[in-house]
Amino acid sequence: MTGLTLLLLIGAILAAVAFHRRLRRVERELADLRSALAGGTARAPAPPRISRPRPAPTRRLPRPKLNFETLVGGRLPIWIGGAALVLAGFYLVRLSIESGLLGPVARTILAALFAALLIAASEAAHRLSAALADRRVGQALAGAGVASGYATLYMAAALYDLVAPLPASVAMLGITALALALALRHGPPTAAMALAGGFLAPLVAGFEAAGVGPLLVYLALFIAALFGLGVRRGWAWLAIAAAAAGFAWINFLIYALQGDDLAALGLFTVVLAAGASAALPAAGARARWLRLVPLLAGLVQLVALAPALEFDVLAWSFYLVLAAAALALAWRDRIYLPGAAAALALLLLLEAVAMRAGATGATLIAALVATLLFALPGHLRVDRPGWALLALGGTAGPLLVAHAAAAPLLAPAGWAAVEIVAAALCAWIAWRTRDTADPLARVAAPALVALLATLAIATLLPPSWLAVPLALAMLALAGWAHRNPAPALFALPALPFAAAVLAAVGPLGELGNALVQSVGGARLPYPLLPELGLLLRALALPTVAAALLLADPRQFGRGRRATGIAAIALAILLLYALAKQPLAIATDADFRSWGFVERALLTHACLAAGWLLYRRTRLRGVATALLALGFTRFVWFDLLVLNPVWVAQAVGSFPLLNAAVLHTALTAFWLWMLPPRPFLRTAAGVATLVSVLAAVRQATHGTILTGPVTTLENTGYSAALLILALFWLWRGIAIGARDLRLFGLVLLTGVTFKVFLIDAAALDGVLRILSFLGLGVALIGIGWAYGRFLGREAQPGTDHPSP
């Protein structure tokens, strides 16, 4: 404790030195100004008279520049010496207490004499300051004397009960008056010394001996004296330091008292915060935001004290009184309006903590008082910036916190009725602020109306029907934005939409798990799907509402793109869940019979919808997403993960008219019908090739395509691919489509290598000869025809259709 005390004293002394430097600079400038005025004023010559010679005036010595040498060697010793005198007096008294050498009366008398001696020495030093050319000695002694005087009174009244409360108060006023007079006489250093000594005196003397009551009275009177001195001399630094030291004592006592006498500490917090808020501007604090600091510190301090006071009536009274002071100051000066808003925010936090802790009795009354306290002045000044938010917060905040933290307090119908009334009051504010220049109030008011109305309706409905009021809120907010156009208002419908998505996180999680399992190759995702009715109740109405609002390009504001993507994704998920219901594939037998058919239908639903949107509407982004989804399904499921060639699935027994051929051929059709871009045309060619292979495979295997490749099947592949290559070549030449000609040539080359390397190896004798003969004649004919075409195309002046 001794080291901490010394460090605090040295810190206060260093601060005083800095302020003292500024004061001395002002004094020098005033002295120079007086000298200039005296030298410029001419007086008439007086008649000669005989007078006694006067002593020559003392020359003012030049002040050395401030550097390390002058600071450490010339200034700090004086102030550290003054601090040492104060500590010497304190520890002398403490030594006498611990050793038992002197009684209480003698100790108090000695301390008083020591304080008086220091003050007398300061006056002597002040009178000699002209000769010494240094006022700091007197300032240090005066500050030490004031601090010793406070400590003496504390011992006499609090430790030993030698002085009754009334005389002690009178003596405290006397010491305060003396400190004020000495500070006015000696300047800021004396005030700094008095501040440090007065706050540290209870620590040195032992504050726990007398209890918290006398200590808080002492601190209150001492801080009031410092505030008065700061206001009188315009020393904002002194008022700030006194307030900071007061709050430091509060935090120290919260831990030191361990739950005892905290009610008195709460009252002291209220008084300190209110007094500091009034003293700082009166003392000349230039930074306007600095006026808010004591108020906010007091509010935070009371929030920390409330749990220790078990959220009783006294704890809430302290907080509400200080909140009322914040509102009163904000009513007079708008600079305090953030303080009032902070008071409301901290009150809501405290209400939530108290109700969660089960302290609902006094907390409920406090919530009602807080509603009136903040809502009434907010409604009265709703047309002024910032007050509408207070009105909204006071009207809806305590109610929402109570409903969330202590729902059993009222029946559902009771909560709904109260929230409807609050929604009506907020709607009145929204109407009054519809043309205001405060954008935050214009947005917050309708948002709160929607929130309260949604809660009121949802309270009366089963939890699974929450999407109904949320969808209504989306439409209502969109209508309000259409009625009062503003960019921020158009973004509001995204909030209930996001709330609906969050509320459906359970069924969405189940649906997402089913999709992940399906993408990973699971054959039976249907049993993993959530209950369809629950899914539709949770997401259908918000998704439909979002789709309707997306028709207006202003709706959802900057979140329009994200909302649109989310709405499309939800719509696809809902349609996926719906599409899984008719066949309800839940067993391996069901998957073998209908798995491929169901998958093909889902894929072509995406492709058909995307193609129609692409051709008929401006929703190119949605169309592209649907087309990409369909083609991804085709490649991933049907060609890779669940290909019927190696996963047994029935495709149908009719050649050509079966699911495998129709599915792949229709996929190729959608691709061919899209704009002729190289990537899409290549994909269309691959899909066409797959369709031809599927036709040969089904013709040789029937409805189940698994099994080895037979000789007949292998020959069929060659013949079918050769026909497809010739068709592409013919069609490419006929319409001048270069890409079709290239497809035909590449496929023809591939078929040629297949015949020579694979097919011929499986034949023998005459069959091998005939196959080579036929292939040779065909290739020669194709080469001759293609050469004729290229030669004709190269002739100038020949018209050919462009690709």
Side-chain angles (χ1 to χ4, degrees):
M1 182 62 71
T2 302
L4 175 62
T5 303
L6 185 58
L7 287 175
L8 291 174
L9 274 175
I10 292 175
I13 290 169
L14 291 175
V17 168
F19 286 107
H20 177 61
R21 179 186 175 192
R22 297 181 58 187
L23 182 63
R24 294 303 299 269
R25 188 183 298 114
V26 174
E27 290 176 349
R28 290 200 307 270
E29 293 176 356
L30 289 176
D32 295 339
L33 181 61
R34 288 172 183 165
S35 300
L37 293 175
T41 304
R43 295 185 177 180
R49 62 176 181 174
I50 300 174
S51 60
R52 290 179 295 176
R54 297 181 178 179
T58 303
R59 292 184 59 192
R60 183 179 295 275
L61 297 177
R63 180 173 296 276
K65 295 182 178 180
L66 184 64
N67 51 36
F68 179 80
E69 182 180 5
T70 58
L71 177 64
V72 177
R75 297 191 177 189
L76 285 185
I78 295 176
W79 299 113
I80 296 177
L85 291 176
V86 176
L87 290 175
F90 288 161
Y91 286 111
L92 180 62
V93 174
R94 191 175 186 112
L95 177 63
S96 68
I97 295 173
E98 295 174 351
S99 61
L101 296 176
L102 299 175
V105 177
R107 298 167 190 164
T108 305
I109 293 175
L110 285 177
L113 289 176
F114 182 71
L117 180 63
L118 289 175
I119 293 175
S122 72
E123 288 300 304
H126 179 73
R127 293 179 181 275
L128 294 175
S129 62
L132 297 175
D134 197 337
R135 298 174 57 191
R136 290 170 293 171
V137 176
Q139 293 168 344
L141 292 173
V146 170
S148 300
Y150 279 116
T152 301
L153 183 60
Y154 179 76
M155 287 191 303
L159 294 181
Y160 305 133
D161 294 326
L162 299 177
V163 182
L166 181 59
S169 301
V170 175
M172 179 66 71
L173 294 176
I175 296 176
T176 301
L178 178 62
L180 178 62
L182 290 175
L184 291 172
R185 183 176 181 83
H186 292 280
T190 301
M193 291 289 291
L195 181 144
F199 279 114
L200 292 175
L203 288 175
V204 178
F207 71 92
E208 67 278 357
V212 70
L215 173 61
L216 292 179
V217 172
Y218 164 76
L219 289 175
L221 293 175
F222 181 58
I223 293 172
L226 293 175
F227 283 166
L229 180 59
V231 172
R232 174 67 177 82
R233 293 298 299 268
W235 293 339
W237 64 270
L238 184 60
I240 295 172
F247 282 111
W249 262 102
I250 293 174
N251 285 279
F252 172 74
L253 290 176
I254 288 177
Y255 294 99
L257 296 177
Q258 297 181 352
D260 299 330
D261 298 320
L262 289 180
L265 197 59
L267 179 60
F268 178 76
T269 302
V270 174
V271 173
L272 176 60
S277 298
L280 288 184
R286 295 182 179 180
R288 293 174 63 86
W289 61 267
L290 195 59
R291 305 179 188 181
L292 289 172
V293 174
L295 194 63
L296 296 177
L299 292 169
V300 173
Q301 201 72 70
L302 290 176
V303 170
L305 275 172
L309 293 174
E310 298 180 351
F311 303 102
D312 59 7
V313 175
L314 195 60
W316 279 111
S317 299
F318 290 148
Y319 190 90
L320 291 174
V321 167
L322 193 55
L327 283 167
L329 290 172
W331 189 278
R332 296 181 56 189
D333 189 348
R334 190 176 179 275
I335 190 64
Y336 291 101
L337 197 57
L344 176 59
L346 290 173
L347 185 142
L348 297 179
L349 173 64
L350 194 59
E351 179 190 356
V353 174
M355 288 190 170
R356 283 293 184 184
T360 56
T363 304
L364 184 59
I365 298 174
L368 295 175
V369 174
T371 300
L372 297 176
L373 182 64
F374 286 95
L376 285 179
H379 279 276
L380 291 176
R381 290 198 167 188
V382 73
D383 56 335
R384 301 191 181 187
W387 286 95
L389 295 177
L390 279 181
L392 292 169
T395 302
L399 172 61
L400 293 174
V401 171
H403 193 174
L409 286 176
L410 291 176
W415 285 118
V418 176
E419 285 161 352
I420 287 297
V421 172
L425 292 174
C426 292
W428 182 42
I429 297 174
W431 179 259
R432 296 175 63 188
T433 58
R434 65 189 185 279
D435 297 324
T436 185
D438 187 355
L440 192 56
R442 293 185 68 184
V443 173
L448 266 180
V449 173
L451 175 60
L452 290 167
T454 298
L455 285 177
I457 299 174
T459 303
L460 301 176
L461 295 175
S464 60
W465 289 95
L466 177 60
V468 174
L470 288 174
L472 293 176
M474 291 174 60
L475 298 176
L477 288 173
W480 178 259
H482 184 76
R483 171 65 175 78
N484 303 278
L489 292 178
F490 282 111
L492 286 180
L495 297 179
F497 179 72
V501 175
L502 290 176
V505 65
L508 276 178
E510 295 181 32
L511 184 56
N513 178 54
L515 286 174
V516 170
Q517 296 293 331
S518 176
V519 170
R523 303 179 184 183
L524 302 174
Y526 174 77
L528 303 176
L529 294 175
E531 194 268 319
L532 183 62
L534 177 63
L535 189 64
L536 292 177
R537 288 193 299 271
L539 291 173
L541 285 178
T543 303
V544 172
L548 293 175
L549 295 181
L550 285 170
D552 184 351
R554 299 173 298 175
Q555 293 295 345
F556 300 110
R558 294 183 178 179
R560 177 179 175 80
R561 183 179 182 86
T563 305
I565 293 174
I568 294 171
L570 290 177
I572 293 174
L573 291 176
L574 290 174
L575 292 174
Y576 172 80
L578 285 171
K580 285 289 185 178
Q581 303 304 314
L583 295 178
I585 301 175
T587 63
D588 291 333
D590 293 338
F591 174 78
R592 182 183 178 91
S593 301
W594 299 104
F596 186 84
V597 174
E598 181 189 62
R599 202 164 57 250
L601 292 174
L602 292 179
T603 298
H604 288 292
C606 294
L607 293 174
W611 185 81
L612 288 174
L613 289 176
Y614 195 91
R615 306 281 292 192
R616 303 288 181 87
T617 68
R618 297 180 181 178
L619 300 177
R620 293 294 178 86
V622 180
T624 303
L626 289 173
L627 290 171
L629 177 61
F631 293 134
T632 301
R633 285 182 54 85
F634 172 73
V635 173
W636 178 253
F637 289 114
D638 300 322
L639 298 185
L640 299 176
V641 178
L642 298 176
N643 193 318
V645 173
W646 48 75
V647 178
Q649 301 160 80
V651 298
S653 57
F654 295 102
L656 299 180
L657 298 178
N658 57 79
V661 178
L662 294 177
H663 176 39
T664 52
L666 193 56
T667 302
F669 169 79
W670 298 123
L671 288 167
W672 286 116
M673 296 301 294
L674 289 176
R677 289 182 172 81
F679 173 77
L680 293 177
R681 304 290 274 188
T682 302
V686 173
T688 304
L689 182 63
V690 172
S691 178
V692 172
L693 296 177
V696 175
R697 181 76 175 182
Q698 193 277 336
T700 55
H701 285 75
T703 186
I704 301 298
L705 304 185
T706 56
V709 178
T710 64
T711 303
L712 179 61
E713 178 184 357
N714 185 42
T715 304
Y717 287 144
S718 300
L721 293 178
L722 180 60
I723 294 172
L724 178 62
L726 295 175
F727 172 79
W728 275 342
L729 286 173
W730 167 75
R731 189 61 182 167
I733 293 173
I735 65 174
R738 186 171 180 273
D739 53 357
L740 289 180
R741 299 198 305 267
L742 291 178
F743 291 163
L745 288 176
V746 170
L747 182 58
L748 181 61
T749 303
V751 172
T752 302
F753 279 103
K754 178 181 180 298
V755 170
F756 277 103
L757 299 178
I758 299 175
D759 296 352
L763 299 177
D764 193 12
V766 177
L767 292 178
R768 178 180 296 182
I769 295 173
L770 292 176
S771 66
F772 279 115
L773 180 62
L775 180 62
V777 172
L779 291 177
I780 291 173
I782 293 170
W784 173 81
Y786 200 73
R788 292 286 304 271
F789 166 75
L790 292 178
R792 187 169 62 254
E793 189 179 51
Q795 293 180 2
T798 304
D799 295 333
H800 297 282
S802 59

